[in-house]
Amino acid sequence: MKVIVIGGVAAGMSAASKLKRSMEDVTVSVYEKSSDVSYGACGMPYYLSDVIKKDDALVARTPEQFKERGIDVFTKHEVTDVDFKNKTVTVKNLTTKEHFNASYDKLLITTGASAIRLPVEGSDLPGIHVLSSLDDARALKDALTQKTIKTVSVIGAGYIGVEVAENLVEMGKNVQLIEMQDQVLPPYDSDMSAHVEKRLKGNGVDLHLNTTLKHYEGTHGVSKIVTDHGSFETDLVIEAIGVRPNTAFLKDSDLTMLKNGAIHVNNKQETSIPDVYSAGDCASVPHLLKDAPAYVPLGTHANKAGRVIAAQLSGEDAHFHGVVGSNVLKAFDLEVAKTGLSEKEAAHENYDYDVVNVKAANQAGYYPGATPIYMKIVFENKTCKLLGAQMVGKQGVSARINIMATAIQRGMTASEFSNLDLAYAPPFSPVWDPLQVATNQIKC
Ligand SMILES: Cc1cc2nc3c(=O)[nH]c(=O)nc-3n(C[C@H](O)[C@H](O)[C@H](O)COP(=O)(O)OP(=O)(O)OC[C@H]3O[C@@H](n4cnc5c(N)ncnc54)[C@H](O)[C@@H]3O)c2cc1C
């Protein structure tokens, strides 16, 4: 069997690796347009500030290491077209500029997503960056180490914007964080994201909410950002306003796509075209709490969904069951996490819901170092089924959100959750775990 993989990072390489491990009579060719494969993009904000010192620490395996495992990896090779009828791809060698065709029995589209650029005047000025690929991270780190770069503007306060802002503060930069919405971390409810706003400001981030970028100004490079609420001098800009699936080269095909260009897949990662699979940031995911397939571009899903393709091709009965929308991030000394639906998402999905807000200590109050966790739990009124949880605190959030994610994914009610046998000892938890303190408040 001849398998071609387009795009060689999380989804593509997890599929290629498992495929080669599971099947002997398979040839796997990976075409990757950049010079890197199989790296941890999630670590890039920490690479900027030298928490992670070298770019190669982010690389899990090099093209040579994959070649040793029998996987043909072609970096700097871009797939420019696919002929789905004749099962061939057109590949451009970006070094020689030559084109060639390659044929497949099975095709894996794992092209990921790219940062959306703001189409405003001045956006082509030098000094405006994004952080989407490892090449972006290298270019950005190079620029940030110049002594002349003192004030940096981050446009967009989603999770990448917040992580980048923190790392810029670590580097000693003056940081302006510009967000058009009235809160940071837009998927969260504003009462929860307010904790993060306080922390950002407390650490010197100049946060501007309800502020929309209009255009950039500068002569040799960007030196000013102009917004609907005034202008700000700047030495460098990082745009972090979201991502778009890398599927433009497939737009005239018969592939069914979501509105944003994400390829629609079923829970076997099959697309609408036979023998063509997709996974990761270029594909949809089933959402277990929403009626329609969703676009949730996260590394965890990319790895799992890529593996499902390989399992399918090697004859295993594997499925990607879907997501509930779990995520976690660090914002200075805070752990910030969410799973399931926020209150505004529950309202948007027309659930009959209610919420409880609870503040509880992460460990026994008498044990030194206890610190509060702020929690918001969303539940369905009639059934008391848990729909979502958001948590912010200095300690014990990231582990607890995963307990809640498990419960939500398994459709548990508040009372079932309150009866879970969770472990307890004073240094780790109060006798009633904070999550159970919250679910105890839900009366059905
Ligand atoms: C700064 C940052 C922080 C993040 N933090 C987290 C986190 O904490 N947790 C989390 O779960 N996720 C995080 N993510 C998201 C995570 O990195 C992505 O979900 C994951 O990398 C997606 O993997 P992928 O394989 O689908 O796509 P990608 O990693 O985007 O890889 C796709 C590859 O395909 C290549 N390609 C595209 N088009 C073509 C073509 N036509 N021909 C050949 N090659 C092509 C691209 O060059 C790219 O290398 C973060 C992302 C960023 C940018």
Side-chain angles (χ1 to χ4, degrees):
M1 182 164 61
K2 256 181 5 190
V3 176
I4 286 183
V5 180
I6 318 176
V9 185
M13 292 326 289
S14 81
S17 303
K18 178 164 169 58
L19 203 50
K20 201 65 200 169
R21 280 197 308 272
S22 311
M23 294 180 80
E24 285 193 352
D25 55 344
V26 63
T27 62
V28 184
S29 306
V30 180
Y31 296 107
E32 165 55 54
K33 74 176 183 187
S34 76
S35 43
D36 303 291
V37 292
S38 189
Y39 62 88
C42 315
M44 294 189 307
Y46 306 96
Y47 163 66
L48 298 179
S49 64
D50 252 8
V51 171
I52 294 156
K53 298 222 170 340
K54 293 192 136 199
D55 53 352
D56 53 15
L58 295 174
V59 177
R61 278 196 194 95
T62 62
E64 292 67 36
Q65 288 169 319
F66 281 110
K67 281 174 196 160
E68 282 162 20
R69 289 163 186 239
I71 299 169
D72 295 324
V73 176
F74 301 89
T75 53
K76 299 204 172 201
H77 280 68
E78 178 176 5
V79 173
T80 55
D81 203 4
V82 182
D83 179 345
F84 291 104
K85 213 163 141 217
N86 293 307
K87 292 189 154 187
T88 59
V89 297
T90 306
V91 186
K92 183 178 180 187
N93 179 330
L94 298 176
T95 313
T96 63
K97 314 288 177 220
E98 282 164 358
H99 285 84
F100 60 91
N101 288 342
S103 65
Y104 63 82
D105 298 314
K106 307 280 179 188
L107 179 67
L108 277 54
I109 306 171
T110 50
T111 47
S114 296
I116 298 172
R117 294 295 318 270
L118 284 162
V120 297
E121 199 188 320
S123 61
D124 53 351
L125 281 166
I128 303 171
H129 293 254
V130 294
L131 183 60
S132 184
S133 67
L134 196 48
D135 276 337
D136 294 336
R138 292 183 186 112
L140 183 52
K141 188 164 181 168
D142 271 359
L144 288 169
T145 42
Q146 312 287 320
K147 290 222 165 59
T148 48
I149 306 296
K150 295 192 167 82
T151 300
V152 181
S153 305
V154 181
I155 316 294
Y159 78 92
I160 294 179
V162 169
E163 287 179 351
V164 165
E166 175 187 341
N167 283 282
L168 293 171
V169 169
E170 284 294 318
M171 297 178 81
K173 307 293 180 191
N174 305 316
V175 184
Q176 297 167 159
L177 182 54
I178 312 293
E179 169 56 54
M180 67 189 285
Q181 297 202 34
D182 59 0
Q183 64 169 96
V184 303
L185 302 176
Y188 286 67
D189 289 324
S190 54
D191 50 347
M192 297 305 288
S193 61
H195 295 284
V196 181
E197 288 157 19
K198 204 169 144 195
R199 206 48 120 249
L200 287 162
K201 289 182 192 161
N203 281 280
V205 174
D206 187 13
L207 177 63
H208 297 267
L209 299 175
N210 297 305
T211 303
T212 303
L213 181 96
K214 291 293 176 196
H215 65 267
Y216 298 112
E217 290 180 6
T219 37
H220 304 299
V222 66
S223 59
K224 191 187 273 184
I225 57 173
V226 179
T227 75
D228 59 350
H229 282 90
S231 303
F232 307 92
E233 304 290 322
T234 196
D235 300 318
L236 187 143
V237 170
I238 303 168
E239 289 184 354
I241 61 160
V243 298
R244 183 180 291 129
N246 291 325
T247 55
F249 71 112
L250 301 165
K251 71 176 184 326
D252 298 325
S253 70
D254 289 337
L255 283 171
T256 305
M257 295 186 184
L258 306 189
K259 259 198 207 140
N260 71 342
I263 298 168
H264 182 271
V265 291
N266 62 18
N267 65 5
K268 294 178 182 173
Q269 302 304 133
E270 293 167 331
T271 69
S272 51
I273 297 179
D275 296 325
V276 180
Y277 295 75
S278 185
D281 285 9
C282 63
S284 69
V285 284
H287 198 298
L288 299 173
L289 298 164
K290 295 184 180 178
D291 286 336
Y295 184 61
V296 187
L298 285 174
T300 50
H301 315 326
N303 278 288
K304 288 180 194 128
R307 209 179 139 83
V308 165
I309 300 179
Q312 282 287 338
L313 294 184
S314 49
E316 287 174 39
D317 184 26
H319 297 89
F320 184 72
H321 293 284
V323 306
V324 290
S326 307
N327 60 76
V328 61
L329 70 141
K330 175 177 174 300
F332 295 95
D333 59 346
L334 289 182
E335 296 176 20
V336 184
K338 170 178 179 290
T339 186
L341 304 177
S342 60
E343 180 173 4
K344 62 188 167 193
E345 288 168 335
H348 185 259
E349 294 297 315
N350 291 320
Y351 278 97
D352 174 18
Y353 72 90
D354 208 342
V355 303
V356 289
N357 283 83
V358 171
K359 176 184 167 192
N362 71 318
Q363 58 195 47
Y366 55 78
Y367 191 85
T371 167
I373 297 179
Y374 297 87
M375 284 166 289
K376 179 170 184 173
I377 311 286
V378 184
F379 62 96
E380 191 175 44
N381 267 325
K382 209 162 124 204
T383 60
C384 271
K385 206 172 112 179
L386 299 168
L387 296 176
Q390 295 159 78
M391 301 170 70
V392 181
K394 285 187 183 173
Q395 256 183 28
V397 165
S398 54
R400 284 188 173 93
I401 205 71
N402 286 332
I403 305 174
M404 207 30 120
T406 311
I408 290 173
Q409 184 148 354
R410 301 308 294 169
M412 288 179 87
T413 64
S415 71
E416 284 168 337
F417 192 92
S418 292
N419 283 307
L420 281 180
D421 177 18
L422 301 183
Y424 156 67
F428 307 112
S429 161
V431 68
W432 279 97
D433 188 273
L435 288 174
Q436 291 176 318
V437 173
T439 53
N440 278 348
Q441 305 225 344
I442 299 171
K443 308 285 177 222
C444 271

